[in-house]
């Protein structure tokens, strides 16, 4: 089949690699892609959120399947426009993608469906928001209702900081329309796990659990980022948890979303907290996680193109997902200064040497080509993923490969999957 993939980040690099490795895919085009993707696929300089241009490109290449990576094209209705033209699409409709685009929409559905989640309220009035916040007590959690590029969430033990966050949304309009309404919710305490499932709107197939690292610095200190690394599987996850969450949380959510907003086809991401009262949902996303996908895809044995096609055609019940027992660890190499301001256009060397290391895959995220050289072009520059029989082996392979890559200001967290490795070692004793 001819497949078209939309997006240009680390997640899309991993998805492109999986599609490229699928025996069912003989031609792959990625829009817009990046220099890493360009090594394994044709790239097209088309804005993935511009529905007309994407429909035109899909028609030009006569795509049998379109896989949508990021949320922005979903929310912009690109999936709907493609389906209206008769294309097979892996990615939900704009209205179903509201499980990610609107926290109120998602929370309402969770409550109606009895899905365990943090107590919450949505407010446009500062006084009412603060009264509810005081009722819940610290630590405080406030969120801009709409998409805010991962920057709309504040979790703080300090009442003053929470108050400021509410005022920034409702009074100062910091997040524009996305922050016109504020969600205040109960703080959930426990291990965070990402569970991504694939669905054709009926059948739900869970991927293996993964965990990401949101904070910039070791020991989960420093500001939130788009993700500094990930690993899979998650040894802290009790046996059978993925299946029970898929059956009791994700499947009901897919059904409720389909009933409220039309077919949900694609990846659904449940951000979970393993609380003392069981798994509770922090959030749903309407797409694969970034950077979780970079640690999941190397473990997938099944033909990814065929799985996506089965989702698009309502045939997922015919397919089981198969995974390697190997562990996968994925490290993000970030630009100096990220998640604050950072420079672009800095030369990167050593990627080829790193890619030759055993078990290692390099996924580009924020890179570009300038005068024939590979340069940085974003905050998160590269993902170094490595498979290993143990977390210890996967970690040492990933860190050895990461050490071969150089660019001025390069930084990474040194503790990605360290707790998994420690648990593994303790269990072996
Ligand atoms: P989000 O942008 O919604 O993914 O939230 C970013 C991060 O904030 C999450 O990964 C959690 O670590 C934290 N967070 C969000 N909501 C809560 C909550 N209700 N309780 C505890 N931590 C939370
Ligand atoms: N890793 C978090 C996300 O993709 O939203």
């Amino acid at each position: 089949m001819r497949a078209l993939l939309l997006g240009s980040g680390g997640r899309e690099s991993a998805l492109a690699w999986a599609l490229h490795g699928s025996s069912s895919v003989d031609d792959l085009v990625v829009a817009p892609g990046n220099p890493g993707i360009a090594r394994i696929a044709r790239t097209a300089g088309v804005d993935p959120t511009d529905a007309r241009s994407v429909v035109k490109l899909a028609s030009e290449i006569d795509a049998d399947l379109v896989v949508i990576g990021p949320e922005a094209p979903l929310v912009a209705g690109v999936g709907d426009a493609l389906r209206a033209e008769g294309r097979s699409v892996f990615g939900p409709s704009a209205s179903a993608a509201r499980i990610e685009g609107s926290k109120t929409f998602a929370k309402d559905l969770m409550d109606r469906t009895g899905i365990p989640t943090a107590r919450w309220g949505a407010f446009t009035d500062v006084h009412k928001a603060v009264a509810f916040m005081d009722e819940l007590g610290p630590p405080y959690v406030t969120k801009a209702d709409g998409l805010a590029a991962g920057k709309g969430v504040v979790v703080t033990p300090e009442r003053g900081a929470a108050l400021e966050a509410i005022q920034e949304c409702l009074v100062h309009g910091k997040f524009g329309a996305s922050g016109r309404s504020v969600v205040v919710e109960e703080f959930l305490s426990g291990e965070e796990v990402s569970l991504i499932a694939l669905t054709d709107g009926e059948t739900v197939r869970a991927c293996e659990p993964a965990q990401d690292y949101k904070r910039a610095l070791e020991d989960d200190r420093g500001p939130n980022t788009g993700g500094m690394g990930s690993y899979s599987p998650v040894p802290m996850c009790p046996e059978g948890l993925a299946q029970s969450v898929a059956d009791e949380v994700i499947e009901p959510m897919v059904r409720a979303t389909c009933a409220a907003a039309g077919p949900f086809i694609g990846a659904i991401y449940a951000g979970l907290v393993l609380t003392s009262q069981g798994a509770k949902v922090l959030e749903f996303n309407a797409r694969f996680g970034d950077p979780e996908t970079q640690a999941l895809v190397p473990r997938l044995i099944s033909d990814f193109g065929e799985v996506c096609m089965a989702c698009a055609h309502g045939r997922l019940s015919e397919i089981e997902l198969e995974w390697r027992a190997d562990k996968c660890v994925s490290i993000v190499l970030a630009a100096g200064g990220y998640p604050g301001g950072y420079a672009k256009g800095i030369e990167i060397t050593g990627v080829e040497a790193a890619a030759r290391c055993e078990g290692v895959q390099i996924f580009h995220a924020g890179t570009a080509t300038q005068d024939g050289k590979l340069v940085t072009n974003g905050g998160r520059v590269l993902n170094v993923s490595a498979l290993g029989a143990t977390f210890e082996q996967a970690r040492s392979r990933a860190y050895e490969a990461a050490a071969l890559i150089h660019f001025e200001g390069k930084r990474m967290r040194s503790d990605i999957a360290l707790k998994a490795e420690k648990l593994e070692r303790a269990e072996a004793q």
Side-chain angles (χ1 to χ4, degrees):
M1 73 171 98
R2 277 177 302 276
L4 170 62
L5 169 68
L6 302 184
S8 63
R11 166 186 48 214
E12 288 74 32
S13 294
L15 296 175
W17 182 77
L19 288 168
H20 171 70
S22 297
S23 50
S24 62
V25 175
D26 15 61
D27 190 15
L28 175 62
V29 177
V30 185
N34 63 38
I37 291 174
R39 292 171 180 224
I40 55 169
R42 290 193 283 147
T43 56
V46 163
D47 174 359
T49 62
D50 176 355
R52 271 175 59 186
S53 304
V54 173
V55 165
K56 188 162 164 266
L57 174 64
S59 156
E60 275 163 15
I61 63 173
D62 196 17
D64 300 301
L65 170 72
V66 184
V67 177
I68 303 179
E71 60 272 31
L74 296 171
V75 171
V78 172
D80 305 82
L82 287 161
R83 263 188 282 265
E85 295 290 317
R87 299 278 158 208
S88 300
V89 181
F90 181 92
S93 64
S95 82
R98 273 188 299 156
I99 63 162
E100 170 162 4
S102 163
K103 292 195 162 60
T104 311
F105 178 74
K107 283 289 211 177
D108 255 335
L109 277 186
M110 285 190 248
D111 280 355
R112 278 197 267 145
T113 318
I115 291 171
T117 182
R119 277 183 64 202
W120 69 288
F123 304 93
T124 49
D125 178 278
V126 175
H127 298 291
K128 286 183 181 157
V130 173
F132 185 64
M133 184 182 101
D134 286 336
E135 188 188 323
L136 293 175
Y140 304 98
V141 182
T142 72
K143 305 182 172 184
D145 182 49
L147 288 175
K151 302 201 174 77
V153 177
V154 173
V155 181
T156 173
E158 285 159 32
R159 191 174 177 278
L163 200 63
E164 200 177 309
I166 290 173
Q167 279 169 338
E168 275 184 343
C169 280
L170 297 183
V171 184
H172 307 305
K174 184 173 176 190
F175 297 106
S178 288
R180 229 173 264 149
S181 159
V182 152
V183 170
V184 175
E185 67 179 41
E186 172 196 9
F187 177 82
L188 298 178
S189 165
E191 196 71 47
E192 271 187 58
V193 175
S194 309
L195 192 70
I196 297 162
L198 311 184
T199 182
D200 59 7
E202 280 283 330
T203 303
V204 170
R205 294 275 185 255
C207 296
E208 292 266 291
Q211 198 165 45
D212 74 348
Y213 287 78
K214 290 217 167 74
R215 299 295 194 97
L217 305 174
E218 279 76 6
D219 300 321
D220 295 328
R221 290 172 301 113
N224 261 325
T225 69
M228 292 299 289
S230 60
Y231 67 91
S232 172
V234 181
M236 290 74 95
C237 235
E239 186 82 21
L241 182 99
Q243 194 56 51
S244 69
V245 170
D247 294 344
E248 292 157 28
V249 172
I250 298 187
E251 202 176 306
M253 188 64 180
V254 167
R255 287 194 196 291
T257 308
C258 289
F264 193 109
I265 292 164
I268 173 164
Y269 168 120
L272 305 171
V273 179
L274 308 184
T275 73
S276 53
Q277 295 128 33
K280 292 193 180 181
V281 176
L282 267 188
E283 60 169 350
F284 282 106
N285 293 324
R287 51 167 176 82
F288 282 100
D290 190 341
E292 289 91 333
T293 306
Q294 293 90 308
L296 275 174
V297 146
R299 299 187 59 225
L300 183 66
I301 296 170
S302 311
D303 182 304
F304 184 61
E306 195 181 306
V307 171
C308 293
M309 199 58 149
C311 288
H313 287 185
R315 291 191 281 101
L316 190 59
S317 62
E318 297 166 15
I319 291 187
E320 294 290 342
L321 297 182
E322 268 189 277
W323 302 91
R324 282 177 225 291
D326 283 348
K327 322 296 182 206
C328 188
V329 174
S330 185
I331 303 164
V332 169
L333 306 188
Y338 175 79
Y342 52 82
K344 290 183 180 178
I346 299 168
E347 187 177 356
I348 307 168
T349 58
V351 173
E352 284 79 10
R356 282 194 295 271
C357 295
E358 195 176 347
V360 169
Q361 251 340 294
I362 310 293
F363 298 123
H364 290 227
T367 66
T369 313
Q370 222 171 61
D371 305 326
K373 290 179 181 159
L374 187 68
V375 298
T376 64
N377 192 38
R380 291 185 296 164
V381 179
L382 293 159
N383 304 263
V384 180
S385 296
L387 287 169
T390 59
F391 278 111
E392 188 182 359
Q393 187 180 48
R395 286 190 80 235
S396 70
R397 284 176 170 176
Y399 279 105
E400 275 166 30
L404 299 175
I405 298 174
H406 301 283
F407 53 87
E408 205 188 314
K410 172 187 113 179
R411 53 167 317 275
M412 60 185 159
R413 271 181 68 160
S414 62
D415 61 348
I416 304 301
L418 183 60
K419 55 189 164 183
E421 182 183 321
K422 283 185 177 159
L423 196 67
E424 179 180 75
R425 211 177 300 139
E427 279 171 0
Q429 273 166 7

